[in-house]
Amino acid sequence: MRSKAFFCLLPIFIASCTKEVKTKDSLLEHLPPNPSLVLKITNLTNFKSELKNNSNLKSIEGFSNIKKVADKIKGLEHLSTDKTCVLALYEVGKDNHDYILATKNDSGIFNVDSVSNKTVETLTYEETKVSKYNLDGLEVYSLRKNDDILLSSSMMLMENLIRVSENTPADPTLKKLYQASSLDKSATIFINPSGNTSLLALKEQDKTMDNPFSSWISLDFTANSDEVNLSGVAMAPDSTKNFINLFKGTSPLANKTPSYAPLTAQAILSYTFDDYQVFANNQNTYLDRAKKTDSLFNTIEEVGIIYLNKEKVVLLKSYGTESLYDYLESKKTASQDYQGSEIIELEDSNIVEEGFTPLVKDFESNFCTILENSFIFSEQKEALQTIISNHKSASSFDGDQGFKTAKASLASESSMLFVSNATGIDFFAEQELSTEVFEDVKDKDFKEQVFASQMVMDNGFGHFNLLVSKIEKNQERNTVSPLFTLELNTDLATDPQFVKNHRTKQQEIVVQDQNNVLYLISTDGKVLWTKQLDGRIQGEIQQVDIYKNGKLQLAFTTNDQFLILDRNGDEVPPFTIDFEGGNLNPLAVFDYDGSRNYRFVVTQGQKVYMYNNQGKIVRGFTFTDAPSNILDAPKHFRVGNKDYLVFKQDNSTLRILHRVGSDRIKVPEKIDFSSNEVFLYKNKFSVTNKTGVLHQIDTNGKLTATNFNLNPDHGFYATSNTLVFMDDNILSIKGKKVELELGVYSKPKIFYIYDKIYVGVTDIQNHQIYLYDSQAKPIPNFPVFGSSLIDLTDMDNDRRLELVAKDQENSLIVYKIN
């Protein structure tokens, strides 16, 4: 379908059709209505340089659809200005485009003295004089209007321009995007997908073109020698039936299709939404139908298309498989086992297309298999066998170097994601582009390039990333290098930690200094903002989404306050709550069902305060006054479908409560708690005492005690299946022991990143960081000297890790681990 083709082919098209200049509202107002493409060039010199030096653009200069436009634009090679320019393309006759360029008129702006074969004459149209240049057979028309100069390759366009009234308004959507465009980029491209069949070199079809992808799209242009990158927004008013409105009112999710696609896949196309019912309602609007939404697909949150050997395989990722599984079982006509997975043959071959058109079209769901929480459909059984075999051997598309190159420049969550190698682009070109342009694509060698498109829906806007890039070579792995070091105004007072930027999906850093100033620091070490607080932050900062709109806030307690700050560091009312007497524990945040109906738990001595999203006390919670002081932040665990709230008290009592505050499990044994937290390990509440005994309580209240003979200051950390101890200089991971150099060691930390376990520990005395995997094998090139481990993450979504630490001078330092 055309909307999908536009999304998939836009990277190669944009990389090809950019050849000249622009900026300023008066310039936009000069243009006749209905341009096919508008280009705003803020720095003509830089823009020309980027075009000239990019290898991807050079490789497609000869494409027939590009050459026709580029040949006409050659007349602008004599333009020289440091002012903003606007270049617009118009379709003038079938498969023919001419341009109009507008910019400020300066002396010498259009200098043709060096052209030996030229003529200049003056034409008159409606009492307006137009200069006609013939430069080596190339015609350029020039018109001065007030303080501006207008250039065009067509006298017809000039006549149209002259007839346009000064008061003719520009397209309001285009004008809005134009005014919001970046001044930091050399150029911004504005394109209207509607009706641009000729400019996009799409095949002519007998049927009417489907609803357009969006209205105008604004894309900031960036290029270096090996990459063309465009980022911006697509707009689609609510009243229009644009493709991107299918995702209106939904939030993007992490795309899992690449992890199921085989390494040999040509391309992947993934759509995500966090609420199927919202998507289904949008789907009815888009298709102009009144179909009742089917609860069969209520748990689907991703629709993926895997292009494999010129066939389509469709993936439906679910967070609950039962209802759809039962339905497919009822439609099963035959089945077979393949490498431990069942492939079933279906009698209902239209289930996927009927349920998810227009995302999926021209597809018969003849066969299906289930891998983890994903239903995978194919037209031919062999495609599923390939999928299963690659999945078993962990040979997936997300391990492809081209995909890794693309992901380095893309957000981690998308409403729409397309990534393709050269064979995928050949396939799409053959299906959707004119024969002439397809032959051009086929003759080019793109095996070293990756093509990607991404759209992230947010508040009615589609945030776009488009990429054509040379595939990065495999970098040397397991190298550790400092990314940046940042010295604050005074020493650090809290441990730095990573927090997510909901706009970019990247990780940033928050930390507080000795003057109680809170800092937010970007991925490249720039201080984004500071905020003076009245006291020291207790424990870790929690990220929450109290408005349920995908925008994250920072929640924490100081000694005597509970605060929530927004993305800009401003306080979110009414969450600035003072507590007389201070001595607050770290904040606990409970999200029982993952619904973002948060419970904020503040403990002060024996007092327990539970607040809801509106900052009001939760009246149904009865555990408001403990028999003795609360230690640390309370913990929330879910086992099965039951919730457990766990409190440590300084009278050696462990309280395990219901949501309402009454006892769910009574723990009669007194535990002389160590300084470590309570963890849920193998569905048992696990905590150590000061003599190194591990106490565990199961959900039936049964107690077990295992004496590990640990020192009183031992470290203890656990996840659901991994148990780690640090005792003197002995690190134990899942029972496997590692003897480290003699020193004074911090508590161990477990990091779970990309389905891998990392265990980190710091020798505080000797300022060395050690990092191990879940099998107690050291990560190469560790220890890192001169620093103390704080947090570990993938900061830029490029599957390389970053480690934030404190150096010996108590400054913040970030390492990159390749």
Side-chain angles (χ1 to χ4, degrees), residues 696-764:
Q696 294 182 283
I697 303 97
D698 67 18
T699 54
N700 295 317
K702 181 180 178 181
L703 279 73
T704 57
T706 306
N707 191 351
F708 285 93
N709 296 311
L710 306 174
N711 289 306
D713 58 353
H714 68 273
F716 163 57
Y717 202 106
T719 64
S720 58
N721 291 300
T722 303
L723 190 68
V724 177
F725 293 108
M726 188 73 228
D727 188 39
D728 282 342
N729 64 322
I730 305 297
L731 176 65
S732 174
I733 304 173
K734 290 185 174 181
K736 298 178 181 179
K737 295 184 178 181
V738 179
E739 184 174 356
L740 305 180
E741 297 292 329
L742 291 176
V744 177
Y745 286 90
S746 67
K747 295 177 183 179
K749 292 186 178 182
I750 295 179
F751 306 97
Y752 190 69
I753 305 171
Y754 292 127
D755 301 325
K756 292 183 179 180
I757 293 286
Y758 297 88
V759 178
V761 67
T762 299
D763 179 353
I764 302 170

Side-chain angles (χ1 to χ4, degrees), residues 69 157 182 228 251-252 265 269 282 494 504 559 571 574 634 657 688 734:
V69 176
L157 281 181
S182 173
V228 178
S251 295
L269 179 58
N282 294 339
T494 63
T504 65
N559 180 63
E571 295 174 15
L657 311 179
T688 59
K734 290 185 174 181

Side-chain angles (χ1 to χ4, degrees), residues 150-207:
L150 306 171
L151 302 172
S152 178
S153 56
S154 166
M155 185 59 187
M156 182 186 298
L157 281 181
M158 276 297 190
E159 293 171 356
N160 192 7
L161 187 152
I162 292 168
R163 290 194 300 269
V164 171
S165 167
E166 289 287 343
N167 298 322
T168 300
D171 183 298
T173 302
L174 171 60
K175 186 173 181 180
K176 184 176 181 180
L177 289 174
Y178 181 93
Q179 292 172 338
S181 60
S182 173
L183 298 177
D184 297 328
K185 305 297 183 181
S186 63
T188 302
I189 300 165
F190 307 88
I191 187 167
N192 186 353
S194 179
N196 264 321
T197 301
S198 173
L199 185 63
L200 297 173
L202 295 174
K203 283 182 179 178
E204 291 290 343
Q205 295 184 349
D206 293 334
K207 62 182 181 180

Side-chain angles (χ1 to χ4, degrees), residues 91 114 118 160 187 209 307 333 343 476 480 526 549 556 573 610 618 624 648 666 705 755 769:
E91 188 168 6
S114 61
K118 65 175 180 288
N160 192 7
M209 188 174 181
Y307 294 90
T333 60
I343 297 176
E476 180 186 357
V480 182
K526 296 178 181 177
N549 59 3
F556 55 89
M610 180 178 283
V618 178
T624 58
K648 288 165 56 179
K666 292 190 175 181
D755 301 325
I769 299 172

Side-chain angles (χ1 to χ4, degrees), residues 646-684:
V646 181
F647 293 73
K648 288 165 56 179
Q649 296 177 191
D650 68 357
N651 64 354
S652 302
T653 301
L654 189 68
R655 301 293 294 271
I656 304 177
L657 311 179
H658 289 269
R659 283 192 193 185
V660 296
S662 58
D663 287 314
R664 184 181 281 277
I665 299 173
K666 292 190 175 181
V667 184
E669 183 173 344
K670 296 291 185 180
I671 302 171
D672 188 14
F673 298 114
S674 69
S675 60
N676 297 286
E677 299 176 37
V678 180
F679 298 97
L680 187 69
Y681 173 63
K682 294 190 179 298
N683 284 339
K684 295 180 181 179

Side-chain angles (χ1 to χ4, degrees), residues 492-641:
L492 306 185
T494 63
D495 286 344
Q497 69 177 88
F498 290 110
V499 293
K500 185 177 180 180
N501 179 328
H502 62 258
R503 296 171 182 165
T504 65
K505 311 304 179 185
Q506 296 179 341
Q507 299 290 321
E508 296 171 338
I509 300 167
V510 287
V511 68
Q512 189 181 29
D513 69 14
Q514 295 285 350
N515 293 331
N516 295 330
V517 175
L518 182 66
Y519 298 76
L520 180 68
I521 300 161
S522 71
T523 56
D524 54 2
K526 296 178 181 177
V527 176
L528 300 176
W529 53 254
T530 61
K531 182 175 180 64
Q532 179 68 57
L533 300 178
D534 293 337
R536 188 70 44 83
I537 292 174
Q538 305 299 301
E540 290 191 354
I541 294 173
Q542 310 286 332
Q543 282 197 281
V544 294
D545 178 8
I546 58 175
Y547 301 118
K548 303 182 183 181
N549 59 3
K551 296 181 178 179
L552 301 177
Q553 299 86 36
L554 306 176
F556 55 89
T557 56
T558 64
N559 180 63
D560 56 6
Q561 280 188 319
F562 164 36
L563 296 100
I564 296 183
L565 306 181
D566 66 14
R567 165 72 199 157
N568 300 314
D570 297 323
E571 295 174 15
V572 179
F575 291 100
T576 303
I577 303 173
D578 297 314
F579 293 83
E580 186 177 349
N583 198 33
L584 300 183
N585 282 318
L587 176 69
V589 180
F590 301 161
D591 184 8
Y592 295 127
D593 306 307
S595 59
R596 294 172 287 182
N597 291 320
Y598 300 108
R599 296 294 182 258
F600 301 97
V601 184
V602 179
T603 53
Q604 181 187 36
Q606 297 175 226
K607 296 293 183 182
V608 180
Y609 305 90
M610 180 178 283
Y611 298 91
N612 62 17
N613 278 19
Q614 290 74 46
K616 297 178 180 178
I617 290 289
V618 178
R619 297 300 175 190
F621 185 73
T622 60
F623 188 67
T624 58
D625 199 349
S628 65
N629 290 338
I630 305 294
L631 299 175
D632 306 327
K635 303 288 283 285
H636 164 251
F637 301 107
R638 170 162 279 201
V639 182
N641 60 353

Side-chain angles (χ1 to χ4, degrees), residues 95-245:
D95 296 335
N96 179 60
H97 286 83
D98 284 287
Y99 69 82
I100 289 178
L101 180 137
T103 188
K104 284 296 176 185
N105 185 28
D106 286 336
S107 59
I109 191 171
F110 191 64
N111 189 342
V112 295
D113 291 344
S114 61
V115 181
S116 57
N117 183 20
K118 65 175 180 288
T119 62
V120 183
E121 58 181 305
T122 301
L123 307 178
T124 302
Y125 180 77
E126 293 189 353
E127 300 182 349
T128 300
K129 292 184 178 181
V130 177
S131 296
K132 178 184 177 182
Y133 296 83
N134 190 306
L135 310 172
D136 291 324
L138 193 65
E139 294 181 348
V140 179
Y141 299 87
S142 172
L143 166 67
R144 286 173 172 77
K145 201 169 186 180
N146 300 325
D147 294 328
D148 301 330
I149 185 171
L150 306 171
L151 302 172
S152 178
S153 56
S154 166
M155 185 59 187
M156 182 186 298
L157 281 181
M158 276 297 190
E159 293 171 356
N160 192 7
L161 187 152
I162 292 168
R163 290 194 300 269
V164 171
S165 167
E166 289 287 343
N167 298 322
T168 300
D171 183 298
T173 302
L174 171 60
K175 186 173 181 180
K176 184 176 181 180
L177 289 174
Y178 181 93
Q179 292 172 338
S181 60
S182 173
L183 298 177
D184 297 328
K185 305 297 183 181
S186 63
T188 302
I189 300 165
F190 307 88
I191 187 167
N192 186 353
S194 179
N196 264 321
T197 301
S198 173
L199 185 63
L200 297 173
L202 295 174
K203 283 182 179 178
E204 291 290 343
Q205 295 184 349
D206 293 334
K207 62 182 181 180
T208 303
M209 188 174 181
D210 56 9
N211 297 332
F213 185 79
S214 68
S215 57
W216 284 92
I217 299 175
S218 168
L219 297 167
D220 291 328
F221 175 88
T222 304
N224 55 36
S225 59
D226 295 324
E227 181 177 291
V228 178
N229 189 289
L230 299 107
S231 60
V233 297
M235 295 187 68
D238 291 344
S239 59
T240 60
K241 293 179 181 177
N242 293 134
F243 190 85
I244 68 170
N245 276 343

